Amino acid sequence: MSSAQLHKGYSVSESEPFEDHWYYQGRRKINGPFNKEAMIVAIMDQDVDSDTQVWNTSWTENAPTQALRETELGGYLTDEAREKYTPTPVSDRLAWVLALFPLAFLFIDSVLIYNYNPIAFSNGYMLAVPLVYSLIALVDALSIRDSGRSRAPLYWFWMIPVYLAVRANKLRRGGIYFWLWLLSTVLYLIVVYGVVDGGYFMPSTRPLPSCSNSMIIDTNKELFDDAVAENRRSPNSLARSIQNALGTDYGNPYYDIGYNGFRQSPKANDIVEIAQITETQETRSCQAVVIASRGPRIPIDYSITRRSGGIEVTMQSR
């Protein structure tokens, strides 16, 4: 292999002088350019050894490559040099946290979903969890960089399985954390979505939510608003019944008020006077009254039914 092959296709930025930079022949490709400090780190991390072929930009272009031990870097192969220059040890505590993170949320999400807590499905919660997860990985990546290793896996902190795999490769610690993460994630999906929430793998043991559960109330408000917004000629029986109960003026997404334009249809402001009528193991029947933003109060009947994959809420006006 010639020196021209070693440095072909690589360049140093214009702001950095093209002198005293190193290239070395890796297992599958030529690596570089690296400054001397980066090469020392590579020696300490055992990315290169005494027989690795290297080339320096300060040499003439036609100078042959040399074994690392034959260059000025050979002095860093001694035990004394390794003791002096070996990077600071990196703790694996955060790697354990990343690998077992899904198990922690297996318990948290199971409790939230079992009790039909709307937090589990809120946008804020679903955004905050991966954000915290990524921040933990970023802190770990920064600790690797600050240990003296120039090739910390910083760019992958937002993609946890890839980050753990790259981290294992950089630190030569094996793939235990990646495989633990994969096992934890599969277990999370099976327990939370296959058993607790959906009951796909075995019948769900959680009880039906109560008639006054906050998630059920929010669902009824959405059903009411959707029904009011539908076209008056809609085949949807709920839409027809709700609009008939509201009266002619309140049908359609917007109703005409002459030359003054259009006014938005009523919305469900609150649901009150909630009462349970009947209950079986699979269905709970309830009654309530919708207080709309305009128009009369609307009495409604609604049922909560257990389905494969969760629950279903159906509503109609009385």
Side-chain angles (χ1 to χ4, degrees):
M1 173 182 57
S2 68
S3 60
Q5 287 178 313
L6 256 182
H7 68 272
K8 181 181 179 181
Y10 295 93
S11 62
V12 181
S13 64
E14 294 181 1
S15 61
E16 189 176 6
F18 192 78
E19 58 183 18
D20 199 26
H21 280 79
W22 296 86
Y23 296 86
Y24 70 85
Q25 177 65 54
R27 292 180 180 179
R28 298 181 179 178
K29 65 177 183 176
I30 298 167
N31 299 288
F34 298 111
N35 59 26
K36 184 176 179 179
E37 290 72 21
M39 285 298 293
I40 293 173
V41 171
I43 293 171
M44 299 307 142
D45 279 346
Q46 298 181 5
D47 289 337
V48 295
D49 57 31
S50 61
D51 294 323
T52 301
Q53 292 294 306
V54 298
W55 187 83
N56 189 279
T57 56
S58 64
W59 302 350
T60 62
E61 184 172 350
N62 295 324
T65 62
Q66 298 182 35
L68 187 143
R69 66 176 179 274
E70 298 172 354
T71 69
E72 63 182 274
L73 297 174
Y76 296 98
L77 296 169
T78 64
D79 292 338
E80 293 79 10
R82 290 191 180 280
E83 184 176 344
K84 180 179 180 180
Y85 292 102
T86 297
T88 305
V90 175
S91 171
D92 287 332
R93 288 194 297 270
L94 292 181
W96 281 106
V97 173
L98 292 172
L100 300 178
F101 198 85
L103 284 185
F105 276 86
L106 182 156
F107 295 103
I108 295 173
D109 287 353
S110 292
V111 171
L112 292 175
I113 292 174
Y114 184 87
N115 292 288
Y116 300 96
N117 193 313
I119 291 177
F121 304 100
S122 66
N123 292 333
Y125 180 79
M126 297 177 74
L127 177 64
V129 171
L131 179 61
V132 170
Y133 208 2
S134 295
L135 286 176
I136 294 172
L138 179 59
V139 171
D140 184 64
L142 290 173
S143 71
I144 295 174
R145 185 198 63 182
D146 294 343
S147 71
R149 293 169 174 82
S150 60
R151 297 186 301 147
L154 277 174
Y155 301 109
W156 296 106
F157 73 90
W158 55 277
M159 191 178 295
I160 303 304
V162 176
Y163 173 80
L164 290 173
V166 173
R167 182 187 193 276
N169 181 60
K170 301 299 184 186
L171 299 180
R172 290 181 170 79
R173 304 233 172 135
I176 181 173
Y177 300 110
F178 170 81
W179 292 111
L180 276 175
W181 174 88
L182 184 61
L183 180 63
S184 300
T185 301
V186 170
L187 189 60
Y188 171 90
L189 295 174
I190 291 174
V191 173
V192 174
Y193 293 108
V195 177
V196 177
D197 184 32
Y200 291 110
F201 300 107
M202 57 182 294
S204 178
T205 59
R206 63 174 178 166
L208 289 169
S210 67
C211 295
S212 58
N213 179 276
S214 59
M215 183 182 73
I216 300 301
I217 291 176
D218 289 342
T219 301
N220 278 327
K221 288 180 179 179
E222 292 176 6
L223 291 172
F224 180 90
D225 293 346
D226 290 345
V228 172
E230 284 202 35
N231 189 286
R232 176 167 288 278
R233 291 184 295 274
S234 168
N236 187 329
S237 59
L238 173 61
R240 293 200 307 272
S241 65
I242 292 293
Q243 292 178 22
N244 288 337
L246 283 169
T248 304
D249 287 339
Y250 298 100
N252 298 329
Y254 298 90
Y255 70 92
D256 189 3
I257 54 175
Y259 293 105
N260 294 323
F262 294 87
R263 184 182 299 175
Q264 192 174 4
S265 291
K267 301 289 184 182
N269 282 345
D270 199 5
I271 296 181
V272 299
E273 300 179 22
I274 300 170
Q276 178 175 301
I277 305 304
T278 61
E279 179 184 8
T280 66
Q281 187 174 357
E282 300 299 325
T283 302
R284 192 188 302 272
S285 299
C286 314
Q287 288 184 343
V289 174
V290 176
I291 298 180
S293 56
R294 296 192 316 279
R297 292 156 58 104
I298 308 297
I300 59 169
D301 293 325
Y302 59 96
S303 62
I304 307 165
T305 306
R306 193 188 310 279
R307 302 292 187 196
S308 177
I311 60 168
E312 179 184 53
V313 179
T314 57
M315 183 181 76
Q316 64 181 17
S317 67
R318 280 189 279 132

